Amino acid sequence: MLPPRLLWRDPRPIPRFNRQDPVTQIVRDPGLYEPSDEDNCSAFGYFCQTHDCFYLDKACEEGPHLIALDCQDHGPESVWPQPLMLMFPEGFDPPLSDAQLAWAEAAW
């Protein structure tokens, strides 16, 4: 029910004390692994596709970041919208319809 490619960036004007550039997270993408209930994944990190390197607590390089959840077993994978994303749905790109947002919230 969600669009095949879905991005999210926190829309709040957060003071960036570490001078970090904007971070956009890939929520869904047809090229990413689609996790299932049978997966027993336990080791995750984030990978910055913009700079082609792992993304840690601070910026990997200068400029905006496009990050994806990276599973040790499957590589980059789609994620379910997180509670923070659902609290600020205006950060989704493309915007979710009321029905899509209600469906994602009900699944939590």
Side-chain angles (χ1 to χ4, degrees):
M1 184 125 168
L2 295 175
R5 176 152 171 91
L6 182 62
L7 306 175
W8 185 82
R9 181 170 42 205
D10 195 332
R12 299 174 293 170
I14 301 172
R16 293 185 169 85
F17 296 112
N18 63 355
R19 303 176 57 87
Q20 179 175 328
D21 294 303
V23 177
T24 301
Q25 183 173 354
I26 301 172
V27 179
R28 301 183 54 79
D29 187 271
L32 301 183
Y33 178 76
E34 189 65 37
S36 68
D37 291 338
E38 291 80 36
D39 292 335
N40 291 320
C41 306
S42 60
F44 297 95
Y46 284 99
F47 190 83
C48 180
Q49 293 188 345
T50 304
H51 301 111
D52 196 32
C53 64
F54 283 96
Y55 181 87
L56 302 172
D57 293 341
K58 52 190 168 195
C60 48
E61 289 188 32
E62 289 186 25
H65 305 278
L66 180 63
I67 62 171
L69 184 68
D70 189 73
C71 171
Q72 184 177 8
D73 297 330
H74 304 110
E77 63 179 45
S78 293
V79 296
W80 191 254
Q82 303 299 304
L84 182 65
M85 295 175 184
L86 297 174
M87 287 173 50
F88 299 100
E90 60 273 17
F92 285 112
D93 181 22
L96 296 181
S97 69
D98 291 341
Q100 289 172 321
L101 186 58
W103 182 78
E105 289 172 339
W108 264 104

Short mmCIF file of all heavy atoms in Angstrom, two decimals, residues 21-59:
data_model
loop_
_atom_site.label_atom_id
_atom_site.label_comp_id
_atom_site.label_asym_id
_atom_site.label_seq_id
_atom_site.Cartn_x
_atom_site.Cartn_y
_atom_site.Cartn_z
N ASP A 21 25.04 18.10 7.54
CA ASP A 21 24.16 18.42 6.43
C ASP A 21 22.89 17.57 6.52
O ASP A 21 22.85 16.59 7.25
CB ASP A 21 24.88 18.17 5.11
CG ASP A 21 26.05 19.12 4.92
OD1 ASP A 21 25.81 20.34 4.96
OD2 ASP A 21 27.18 18.66 4.76
N PRO A 22 21.85 17.93 5.78
CA PRO A 22 20.58 17.18 5.85
C PRO A 22 20.76 15.69 5.52
O PRO A 22 21.56 15.32 4.67
CB PRO A 22 19.71 17.85 4.79
CG PRO A 22 20.30 19.20 4.61
CD PRO A 22 21.77 19.06 4.87
N VAL A 23 19.98 14.88 6.22
CA VAL A 23 20.01 13.43 6.04
C VAL A 23 18.62 12.97 5.60
O VAL A 23 17.63 13.25 6.26
CB VAL A 23 20.39 12.71 7.35
CG1 VAL A 23 20.33 11.20 7.17
CG2 VAL A 23 21.77 13.14 7.81
N THR A 24 18.56 12.28 4.47
CA THR A 24 17.33 11.69 3.97
C THR A 24 17.47 10.18 4.07
O THR A 24 18.48 9.62 3.65
CB THR A 24 17.06 12.09 2.50
OG1 THR A 24 16.98 13.52 2.42
CG2 THR A 24 15.77 11.48 1.99
N GLN A 25 16.46 9.53 4.64
CA GLN A 25 16.51 8.07 4.79
C GLN A 25 15.62 7.42 3.74
O GLN A 25 14.49 7.86 3.51
CB GLN A 25 16.05 7.66 6.18
CG GLN A 25 16.15 6.16 6.38
CD GLN A 25 15.85 5.75 7.80
OE1 GLN A 25 15.68 6.58 8.68
NE2 GLN A 25 15.82 4.46 8.02
N ILE A 26 16.13 6.37 3.12
CA ILE A 26 15.34 5.58 2.18
C ILE A 26 14.48 4.64 3.02
O ILE A 26 15.00 3.82 3.76
CB ILE A 26 16.22 4.77 1.22
CG1 ILE A 26 17.12 5.71 0.41
CG2 ILE A 26 15.35 3.92 0.30
CD1 ILE A 26 18.16 4.99 -0.42
N VAL A 27 13.16 4.78 2.89
CA VAL A 27 12.24 3.91 3.60
C VAL A 27 11.94 2.68 2.74
O VAL A 27 12.01 1.55 3.21
CB VAL A 27 10.93 4.66 3.96
CG1 VAL A 27 9.95 3.75 4.69
CG2 VAL A 27 11.25 5.89 4.80
N ARG A 28 11.63 2.92 1.49
CA ARG A 28 11.36 1.82 0.55
C ARG A 28 11.99 2.15 -0.80
O ARG A 28 12.03 3.31 -1.20
CB ARG A 28 9.86 1.63 0.34
CG ARG A 28 9.09 1.30 1.61
CD ARG A 28 7.63 1.06 1.33
NE ARG A 28 7.39 0.05 0.32
CZ ARG A 28 7.44 -1.27 0.53
NH1 ARG A 28 7.74 -1.72 1.70
NH2 ARG A 28 7.20 -2.11 -0.44
N ASP A 29 12.44 1.11 -1.48
CA ASP A 29 12.99 1.27 -2.82
C ASP A 29 12.96 -0.10 -3.49
O ASP A 29 13.32 -1.10 -2.86
CB ASP A 29 14.42 1.79 -2.77
CG ASP A 29 14.94 2.13 -4.14
OD1 ASP A 29 15.50 1.24 -4.80
OD2 ASP A 29 14.77 3.29 -4.56
N PRO A 30 12.53 -0.17 -4.76
CA PRO A 30 12.46 -1.47 -5.44
C PRO A 30 13.81 -2.19 -5.51
O PRO A 30 13.86 -3.41 -5.58
CB PRO A 30 11.96 -1.13 -6.84
CG PRO A 30 11.33 0.20 -6.73
CD PRO A 30 12.02 0.91 -5.60
N GLY A 31 14.92 -1.46 -5.47
CA GLY A 31 16.24 -2.08 -5.56
C GLY A 31 16.78 -2.60 -4.24
O GLY A 31 17.83 -3.24 -4.21
N LEU A 32 16.07 -2.34 -3.14
CA LEU A 32 16.53 -2.79 -1.83
C LEU A 32 15.86 -4.10 -1.45
O LEU A 32 14.77 -4.43 -1.92
CB LEU A 32 16.21 -1.74 -0.76
CG LEU A 32 16.81 -0.34 -0.96
CD1 LEU A 32 16.46 0.54 0.23
CD2 LEU A 32 18.30 -0.40 -1.15
N TYR A 33 16.53 -4.85 -0.58
CA TYR A 33 15.97 -6.10 -0.08
C TYR A 33 14.70 -5.81 0.71
O TYR A 33 14.65 -4.86 1.49
CB TYR A 33 17.00 -6.80 0.82
CG TYR A 33 16.50 -8.08 1.42
CD1 TYR A 33 16.40 -9.24 0.66
CD2 TYR A 33 16.10 -8.12 2.76
CE1 TYR A 33 15.93 -10.41 1.21
CE2 TYR A 33 15.62 -9.30 3.31
CZ TYR A 33 15.54 -10.43 2.54
OH TYR A 33 15.07 -11.60 3.10
N GLU A 34 13.68 -6.60 0.50
CA GLU A 34 12.42 -6.45 1.24
C GLU A 34 12.40 -7.49 2.36
O GLU A 34 12.27 -8.68 2.12
CB GLU A 34 11.23 -6.66 0.30
CG GLU A 34 9.90 -6.32 0.91
CD GLU A 34 9.75 -4.85 1.24
OE1 GLU A 34 10.25 -3.99 0.48
OE2 GLU A 34 9.15 -4.55 2.27
N PRO A 35 12.58 -7.05 3.61
CA PRO A 35 12.65 -8.01 4.72
C PRO A 35 11.32 -8.72 4.95
O PRO A 35 10.26 -8.22 4.60
CB PRO A 35 13.02 -7.14 5.92
CG PRO A 35 12.62 -5.77 5.55
CD PRO A 35 12.69 -5.68 4.06
N SER A 36 11.41 -9.90 5.56
CA SER A 36 10.21 -10.68 5.87
C SER A 36 10.27 -11.12 7.33
O SER A 36 11.31 -11.00 7.99
CB SER A 36 10.10 -11.90 4.95
OG SER A 36 11.13 -12.81 5.24
N ASP A 37 9.18 -11.66 7.82
CA ASP A 37 9.12 -12.12 9.21
C ASP A 37 10.06 -13.30 9.47
O ASP A 37 10.46 -13.53 10.60
CB ASP A 37 7.70 -12.52 9.58
CG ASP A 37 6.77 -11.33 9.65
OD1 ASP A 37 7.26 -10.20 9.83
OD2 ASP A 37 5.54 -11.52 9.51
N GLU A 38 10.42 -14.03 8.43
CA GLU A 38 11.28 -15.20 8.60
C GLU A 38 12.76 -14.83 8.72
O GLU A 38 13.59 -15.66 9.09
CB GLU A 38 11.11 -16.17 7.41
CG GLU A 38 9.76 -16.86 7.39
CD GLU A 38 8.66 -15.97 6.82
OE1 GLU A 38 8.93 -15.19 5.88
OE2 GLU A 38 7.53 -16.05 7.32
N ASP A 39 13.12 -13.60 8.40
CA ASP A 39 14.52 -13.17 8.50
C ASP A 39 14.96 -13.10 9.96
O ASP A 39 14.21 -12.64 10.81
CB ASP A 39 14.72 -11.79 7.85
CG ASP A 39 14.53 -11.83 6.35
OD1 ASP A 39 14.71 -12.90 5.75
OD2 ASP A 39 14.19 -10.78 5.78
N ASN A 40 16.16 -13.55 10.22
CA ASN A 40 16.72 -13.49 11.57
C ASN A 40 17.91 -12.54 11.59
O ASN A 40 18.96 -12.86 12.15
CB ASN A 40 17.13 -14.88 12.05
CG ASN A 40 15.94 -15.78 12.29
OD1 ASN A 40 14.93 -15.32 12.81
ND2 ASN A 40 16.03 -17.03 11.88
N CYS A 41 17.76 -11.39 11.01
CA CYS A 41 18.85 -10.42 10.92
C CYS A 41 19.12 -9.81 12.29
O CYS A 41 18.19 -9.53 13.05
CB CYS A 41 18.50 -9.33 9.94
SG CYS A 41 18.02 -9.96 8.31
N SER A 42 20.39 -9.59 12.59
CA SER A 42 20.71 -9.03 13.91
C SER A 42 21.76 -7.93 13.86
O SER A 42 21.94 -7.23 14.84
CB SER A 42 21.18 -10.14 14.85
OG SER A 42 22.33 -10.76 14.32
N ALA A 43 22.45 -7.77 12.75
CA ALA A 43 23.50 -6.75 12.66
C ALA A 43 23.15 -5.74 11.57
O ALA A 43 23.05 -6.11 10.39
CB ALA A 43 24.85 -7.39 12.38
N PHE A 44 22.95 -4.49 11.98
CA PHE A 44 22.55 -3.44 11.05
C PHE A 44 23.44 -2.22 11.20
O PHE A 44 24.04 -2.00 12.24
CB PHE A 44 21.10 -3.00 11.31
CG PHE A 44 20.09 -4.06 11.10
CD1 PHE A 44 19.65 -4.83 12.16
CD2 PHE A 44 19.58 -4.30 9.85
CE1 PHE A 44 18.71 -5.82 11.97
CE2 PHE A 44 18.64 -5.29 9.64
CZ PHE A 44 18.20 -6.05 10.71
N GLY A 45 23.46 -1.42 10.18
CA GLY A 45 24.13 -0.12 10.19
C GLY A 45 23.45 0.72 9.13
O GLY A 45 22.43 0.33 8.56
N TYR A 46 24.00 1.88 8.85
CA TYR A 46 23.48 2.73 7.78
C TYR A 46 24.57 2.96 6.76
O TYR A 46 25.74 3.11 7.11
CB TYR A 46 22.99 4.08 8.34
CG TYR A 46 21.67 3.96 9.04
CD1 TYR A 46 21.62 3.87 10.43
CD2 TYR A 46 20.48 3.90 8.33
CE1 TYR A 46 20.40 3.75 11.08
CE2 TYR A 46 19.27 3.78 8.98
CZ TYR A 46 19.23 3.70 10.35
OH TYR A 46 18.04 3.58 10.98
N PHE A 47 24.17 2.98 5.50
CA PHE A 47 25.10 3.20 4.40
C PHE A 47 24.66 4.45 3.65
O PHE A 47 23.49 4.58 3.27
CB PHE A 47 25.11 1.99 3.46
CG PHE A 47 26.20 2.05 2.45
CD1 PHE A 47 27.48 1.63 2.77
CD2 PHE A 47 25.97 2.54 1.17
CE1 PHE A 47 28.51 1.69 1.84
CE2 PHE A 47 26.99 2.59 0.23
CZ PHE A 47 28.26 2.17 0.57
N CYS A 48 25.58 5.39 3.46
CA CYS A 48 25.30 6.62 2.73
C CYS A 48 25.52 6.36 1.24
O CYS A 48 26.65 6.14 0.80
CB CYS A 48 26.19 7.76 3.22
SG CYS A 48 25.88 9.30 2.34
N GLN A 49 24.44 6.37 0.49
CA GLN A 49 24.55 6.12 -0.95
C GLN A 49 25.13 7.32 -1.68
O GLN A 49 25.72 7.16 -2.74
CB GLN A 49 23.19 5.73 -1.51
CG GLN A 49 22.72 4.40 -0.98
CD GLN A 49 21.48 3.89 -1.67
OE1 GLN A 49 20.78 4.63 -2.37
NE2 GLN A 49 21.19 2.62 -1.49
N THR A 50 24.98 8.49 -1.11
CA THR A 50 25.54 9.68 -1.74
C THR A 50 27.06 9.62 -1.77
O THR A 50 27.68 9.94 -2.78
CB THR A 50 25.11 10.96 -0.98
OG1 THR A 50 23.68 10.99 -0.92
CG2 THR A 50 25.62 12.21 -1.65
N HIS A 51 27.66 9.22 -0.66
CA HIS A 51 29.12 9.23 -0.54
C HIS A 51 29.74 7.83 -0.61
O HIS A 51 30.95 7.69 -0.44
CB HIS A 51 29.52 9.92 0.77
CG HIS A 51 29.03 11.32 0.84
ND1 HIS A 51 28.04 11.73 1.71
CD2 HIS A 51 29.36 12.42 0.11
CE1 HIS A 51 27.80 13.02 1.53
NE2 HIS A 51 28.57 13.46 0.56
N ASP A 52 28.92 6.81 -0.83
CA ASP A 52 29.38 5.44 -1.00
C ASP A 52 30.26 4.98 0.17
O ASP A 52 31.37 4.50 -0.01
CB ASP A 52 30.14 5.28 -2.33
CG ASP A 52 30.30 3.82 -2.72
OD1 ASP A 52 29.39 3.02 -2.39
OD2 ASP A 52 31.32 3.48 -3.35
N CYS A 53 29.72 5.19 1.39
CA CYS A 53 30.45 4.75 2.59
C CYS A 53 29.46 4.55 3.73
O CYS A 53 28.32 4.97 3.65
CB CYS A 53 31.53 5.76 2.97
SG CYS A 53 30.89 7.36 3.45
N PHE A 54 29.93 3.88 4.78
CA PHE A 54 29.06 3.69 5.93
C PHE A 54 28.85 5.01 6.65
O PHE A 54 29.75 5.85 6.75
CB PHE A 54 29.64 2.63 6.88
CG PHE A 54 29.41 1.26 6.36
CD1 PHE A 54 30.38 0.60 5.64
CD2 PHE A 54 28.19 0.63 6.55
CE1 PHE A 54 30.17 -0.66 5.13
CE2 PHE A 54 27.95 -0.64 6.04
CZ PHE A 54 28.95 -1.28 5.33
N TYR A 55 27.63 5.20 7.13
CA TYR A 55 27.23 6.43 7.81
C TYR A 55 27.17 6.13 9.31
O TYR A 55 26.41 5.27 9.74
CB TYR A 55 25.87 6.88 7.30
CG TYR A 55 25.39 8.16 7.91
CD1 TYR A 55 25.76 9.37 7.38
CD2 TYR A 55 24.57 8.15 9.03
CE1 TYR A 55 25.32 10.56 7.95
CE2 TYR A 55 24.13 9.33 9.59
CZ TYR A 55 24.51 10.53 9.05
OH TYR A 55 24.08 11.70 9.61
N LEU A 56 27.96 6.84 10.10
CA LEU A 56 27.99 6.62 11.53
C LEU A 56 27.29 7.79 12.23
O LEU A 56 26.40 8.40 11.67
CB LEU A 56 29.43 6.44 12.00
CG LEU A 56 30.16 5.28 11.31
CD1 LEU A 56 31.61 5.26 11.67
CD2 LEU A 56 29.49 3.96 11.65
N ASP A 57 27.66 8.11 13.44
CA ASP A 57 27.01 9.17 14.21
C ASP A 57 27.19 10.54 13.59
O ASP A 57 26.41 11.44 13.82
CB ASP A 57 27.55 9.20 15.64
CG ASP A 57 27.17 7.96 16.40
OD1 ASP A 57 26.23 7.28 15.98
OD2 ASP A 57 27.81 7.68 17.41
N LYS A 58 28.23 10.73 12.86
CA LYS A 58 28.47 12.04 12.27
C LYS A 58 28.57 11.90 10.76
O LYS A 58 28.62 10.81 10.22
CB LYS A 58 29.73 12.66 12.85
CG LYS A 58 30.94 11.78 12.78
CD LYS A 58 32.07 12.37 13.58
CE LYS A 58 33.14 11.31 13.72
NZ LYS A 58 34.10 11.59 14.70
N ALA A 59 28.59 13.02 10.10
CA ALA A 59 28.59 13.04 8.65
C ALA A 59 29.80 12.29 8.08
O ALA A 59 30.90 12.39 8.59
CB ALA A 59 28.59 14.48 8.15
#
